[in-house]
């Protein structure tokens, strides 16, 4: 390890102790692999995020290595040794494998840069670890530990930046972001994940080069955005995306919220409100980060700019912004190549996020509660969390009243669920029974009859077989 920074020796000595502890933990696997590379005539070093996380005391079971061996040589070395091997990233010089519970990636020294008209990086292999480290995104990710001798390699002052909790690039940020524009989004993601500050010159380059992000594939942008949103402090990263202009290219609906006044909270705009709702949704998570909930919280009000109206009494209204917002959510998530299931889940939550406010003073009928549960479907628990998160008023009395009202709604739902199995609401007669009663075969009429009985079920609760048959026959007579 290098000598401690004179300005902050205690911080560096602390991270060095953490690193020693973490490296000792992974040594049996890492050293064994390194010896195999050494015997084959190649070098191996733990690198990048693995070294950074070791220094932070948070190294997990994902280990990243770099080597001068070409991918075909790496495969020859790891195949007899690993529990399993995959070649998904081999076109980019990366071989993946699993050993003793560790997920390992070994990447050949490389240099990659974008052609200005291409969405994919051009990979060329390097000959030295120094050449490899200089092309890394940030100095805190440009450190390595050569194995098995455990020589610490830090040509760009990454350890000092780690102690100072600052993100800088090994070369100029303009060169780094020209090589791979996605690194601009990574700056925001690491700021959110690690609670680091981004160096002023890096922020300046992000602002001047933000349009370069458009040459990056939607899938890579989406994956980076997901990591940011799932981080410990997504608000910090999202602010940087907006302030740098990047959000204007990848998620333009977010900066569009900054100029809109929220009708319930005139002291702050919808942009700030949405970031607060996201934070409050995070606080309600119980089983780890929930991407669907977080996306819904962030996007729930994106329909407001398009629906803003200034009323005669001076109020600002956003009628049906939840419906417009759901459509905008589908369009943006489709452009970012999210799965159809995730698009459906998030847009459903956006569309339903205001439904509770119809409950208001607790006057919902059983029928309205059934419809609320039916429309939410499998997103009901998330809808509970989103609705509670959407209360950002500083008026404690109003906040308490809203919380009590929602408590009441959840109690009503629980009572009806116990009585009526709300989670699987369906008519009292199934399709076969409907056809038997009506004396007809499959066709559009059966679908209409099913829908009629479902509406009765939602309105009245369980009817029983005889009552349902009577109602169906009466309805069928009017259809004839």
């Amino acid at each position: 390890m290098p000598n401690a920074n004179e300005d902050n020796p205690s911080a560096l000595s602390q991270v060095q102790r953490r690193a020693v502890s973490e490296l000792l933990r992974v040594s049996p696997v890492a050293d064994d692999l390194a010896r195999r590379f050494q015997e084959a005539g190649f070098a191996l070093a733990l690198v990048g995020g693995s070294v950074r996380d070791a220094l932070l005391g948070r190294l997990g079971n994902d280990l990243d290595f770099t080597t001068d061996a070409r991918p075909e040589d790496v495969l020859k070395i790891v195949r007899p040794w690993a529990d399993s091997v995959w070649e998904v990233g081999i076109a980019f010089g990366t071989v993946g494998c699993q050993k003793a519970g560790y997920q390992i990636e070994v990447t050949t020294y490389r240099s990659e840069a974008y052609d200005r008209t291409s969405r994919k990086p051009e990979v060329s292999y390097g000959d030295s670890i120094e050449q490899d480290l200089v092309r890394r995104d940030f100095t805190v990710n440009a450190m390595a530990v050569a194995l098995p001798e455990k020589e610490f390699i830090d040509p760009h002052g990454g350890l000092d930046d780690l102690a100072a909790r600052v993100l800088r690039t090994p070369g100029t940020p303009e060169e780094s972001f020209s090589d791979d524009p996605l690194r601009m989004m990574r700056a925001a993601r690491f700021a959110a994940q690690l609670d680091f500050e981004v160096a002023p010159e890096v922020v300046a380059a992000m602002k001047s080069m933000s349009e370069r992000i458009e040459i990056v594939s939607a899938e890579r942008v989406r994956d980076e955005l997901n990591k940011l949103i799932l981080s410990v402090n997504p608000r910090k990263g999202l602010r940087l995306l907006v302030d740098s202009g990047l959000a204007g290219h990848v998620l333009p609906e977010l900066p569009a919220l900054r100029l809109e006044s929220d009708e319930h909270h005139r002291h702050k705009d919808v942009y700030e409100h949405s970031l607060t709702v996201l934070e409050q949704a995070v606080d309600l998570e119980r089983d780890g980060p929930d991407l669907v909930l977080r996306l819904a919280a962030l996007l729930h009000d994106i329909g407001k700019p398009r629906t803003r109206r200034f009323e005669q009494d001076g109020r600002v209204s956003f009628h049906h912004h939840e419906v417009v917002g759901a459509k905008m959510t589908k369009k943006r998530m489709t452009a970012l190549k999210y799965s159809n299931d995730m698009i459906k889940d998030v847009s459903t939550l956006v569309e339903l996020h205001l439904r509770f406010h119809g409950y208001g003073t607790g006057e919902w009928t059983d029928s309205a509660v059934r419809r609320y549960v039916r429309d939410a479907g499998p997103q009901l628990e998330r809808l509970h969390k989103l609705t509670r998160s959407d209360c950002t008023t500083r008026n404690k009395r109003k906040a308490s009243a809203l919380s009590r009202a929602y408590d009441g709604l959840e109690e009503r739902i629980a009572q009806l669920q116990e009585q009526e199995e709300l989670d699987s609401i369906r008519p009292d007669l199934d399709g076969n029974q409907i056809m038997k009663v009506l004396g007809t075969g499959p066709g559009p009429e059966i679908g209409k009859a099913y829908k009629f009985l479902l509406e009765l079920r939602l309105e009245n609760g369980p009817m029983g077989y005889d009552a349902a048959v009577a109602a169906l026959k009466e309805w069928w007579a009017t259809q004839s």
Side-chain angles (χ1 to χ4, degrees), residues 13 34 74 124 149 157 192 194 198 201 303 392 423 425 457 469 476:
S13 61
V74 174
S124 59
E149 59 270 23
L194 305 173
V198 181
E201 69 274 13
T392 60
D423 292 336
I425 292 178
R457 171 71 172 80
V469 168
W476 183 244

Side-chain angles (χ1 to χ4, degrees), residues 262-265 273 277 300-301 304 321-322 349-364 368 372 383-393 398-399 401-406 409:
D262 186 287
E263 75 272 30
H264 298 303
H265 315 279
H273 166 75
V277 172
H300 76 286
D301 274 348
K304 283 188 171 181
H321 75 267
E322 71 282 11
L349 289 168
V350 171
E351 185 168 0
L352 294 178
H353 83 271
L354 280 186
R355 182 74 67 86
F356 158 71
H357 295 284
Y359 187 67
T361 57
E363 298 172 353
W364 274 20
Y372 188 82
L383 183 57
H384 290 334
K385 294 173 183 177
L386 177 59
T387 303
R388 290 185 181 277
S389 301
D390 196 21
C391 176
T392 60
T393 179
K398 184 177 180 181
L402 284 170
S403 180
R404 287 196 303 272
Y406 205 83
L409 175 58

Side-chain angles (χ1 to χ4, degrees), residues 56 98 115 159 192 277 298 352 361 394-395 397:
L56 292 173
Q98 181 173 328
D115 180 272
L159 191 59
V277 172
L298 180 64
L352 294 178
T361 57
R394 295 179 181 177
N395 185 321
R397 182 178 299 177

Side-chain angles (χ1 to χ4, degrees), residues 228-235 238 274-291 293-295 297-298 385-386 389:
L228 189 161
I229 291 173
L230 290 170
S231 67
V232 176
N233 186 5
R235 186 184 198 124
L238 291 166
S274 298
L275 294 180
T276 300
V277 172
L278 171 58
E279 287 183 326
Q280 293 184 165
V282 170
D283 290 340
L284 294 178
E285 292 173 340
R286 294 293 176 266
D287 301 312
D290 183 341
L291 182 60
L293 175 63
R294 293 190 184 197
L295 283 170
L298 180 64
K385 294 173 183 177
L386 177 59
S389 301

Side-chain angles (χ1 to χ4, degrees), residues 98-373:
Q98 181 173 328
K99 177 70 173 181
Y102 290 96
Q103 302 291 320
I104 293 169
E105 287 192 348
V106 183
T107 302
T108 303
Y109 299 156
R110 65 186 184 185
S111 173
E112 63 185 34
Y114 270 90
D115 180 272
R116 288 194 172 272
T117 61
S118 173
R119 288 180 176 268
K120 294 183 179 180
E122 297 176 355
V123 176
S124 59
Y125 298 128
D127 298 315
S128 69
I129 194 167
E130 289 78 16
Q131 188 178 357
D132 181 81
L133 293 178
V134 76
R135 57 151 292 276
R136 300 269 166 173
D137 50 8
F138 302 104
T139 60
V140 296
N141 296 329
M143 299 178 284
V145 177
L147 299 173
E149 59 270 23
K150 295 187 174 57
E151 175 193 353
F152 188 69
I153 304 169
D154 181 22
H156 304 289
L159 191 59
D160 289 347
D161 288 340
L162 193 71
R165 305 183 71 81
V166 64
L167 289 173
R168 291 189 306 107
T169 54
T172 68
E174 289 79 9
E175 290 173 337
S176 181
F177 298 156
S178 182
D179 283 349
D180 186 352
L182 191 66
R183 290 173 177 174
M184 294 185 286
M185 289 192 66
R186 284 198 199 123
R189 189 245 293 185
F190 285 128
Q193 278 185 335
L194 305 173
D195 196 23
F196 279 23
E197 299 303 318
V198 181
E201 69 274 13
V202 175
V203 175
M206 291 169 67
K207 290 179 178 179
S208 66
M209 300 178 67
S210 61
E211 75 284 352
R212 282 277 286 156
I213 196 67
E214 293 187 1
I215 74 164
V216 180
S217 69
E219 291 85 353
R220 294 184 74 213
V221 168
R222 175 203 63 209
D223 291 347
E224 200 61 47
L225 182 63
N226 287 348
K227 292 174 184 176
L228 189 161
I229 291 173
L230 290 170
S231 67
V232 176
N233 186 5
R235 186 184 198 124
K236 186 170 187 174
L238 291 166
R239 276 191 181 283
L240 183 54
L241 286 186
V242 170
D243 293 344
S244 66
L246 281 165
H249 299 280
V250 301
L251 192 64
E253 295 80 5
L254 184 59
L257 296 174
R258 286 182 298 179
L259 303 179
E260 309 303 325
S261 297
D262 186 287
E263 75 272 30
H264 298 303
H265 315 279
R266 294 183 180 181
H267 59 279
K268 54 190 173 186
D269 60 25
V270 181
Y271 169 65
E272 292 294 339
H273 166 75
S274 298
L275 294 180
T276 300
V277 172
L278 171 58
E279 287 183 326
Q280 293 184 165
V282 170
D283 290 340
L284 294 178
E285 292 173 340
R286 294 293 176 266
D287 301 312
D290 183 341
L291 182 60
V292 169
L293 175 63
R294 293 190 184 197
L295 283 170
L298 180 64
L299 302 175
H300 76 286
D301 274 348
I302 62 171
K304 283 188 171 181
R306 291 190 184 178
T307 58
R308 182 172 65 159
R309 297 292 182 272
F310 296 98
E311 307 295 347
Q312 291 183 348
D313 61 3
R315 292 185 308 110
V316 180
S317 68
F318 304 93
H319 295 307
H320 305 301
H321 75 267
E322 71 282 11
V323 177
V324 173
K327 293 178 180 177
M328 293 172 65
T329 296
K330 290 179 183 177
K331 184 176 180 180
R332 177 53 52 198
M333 292 184 67
T334 298
L336 288 171
K337 308 292 187 181
Y338 281 93
S339 70
N340 290 335
D341 287 344
M342 183 164 286
I343 293 172
K344 179 182 177 182
D345 293 345
V346 175
S347 58
T348 295
L349 289 168
V350 171
E351 185 168 0
L352 294 178
H353 83 271
L354 280 186
R355 182 74 67 86
F356 158 71
H357 295 284
Y359 187 67
T361 57
E363 298 172 353
W364 274 20
T365 62
D366 284 353
S367 172
V369 175
R370 292 186 194 102
R371 293 175 192 278
Y372 188 82
V373 173

Side-chain angles (χ1 to χ4, degrees), residues 12-77:
L12 286 186
S13 61
Q14 183 179 12
V15 297
Q16 288 169 334
R17 286 195 298 272
R18 288 174 182 164
V20 170
S21 174
E22 293 289 81
L23 293 174
L24 284 174
R25 179 174 65 83
V26 303
S27 275
V29 169
D31 288 348
D32 186 18
L33 183 60
R35 279 192 293 271
R36 291 172 180 269
F37 272 79
Q38 195 174 53
E39 290 168 1
F42 299 111
L44 186 73
L46 194 69
V47 72
S50 292
V51 176
R52 179 200 69 221
D53 288 344
L55 291 166
L56 292 173
R58 44 176 280 173
L59 180 60
N61 288 343
D62 293 342
L63 304 178
D64 295 327
F65 296 91
T66 189
T67 180
D68 57 345
R70 296 299 190 254
E72 58 272 17
D73 295 314
V74 174
L75 283 172
K76 291 178 183 177
I77 295 170

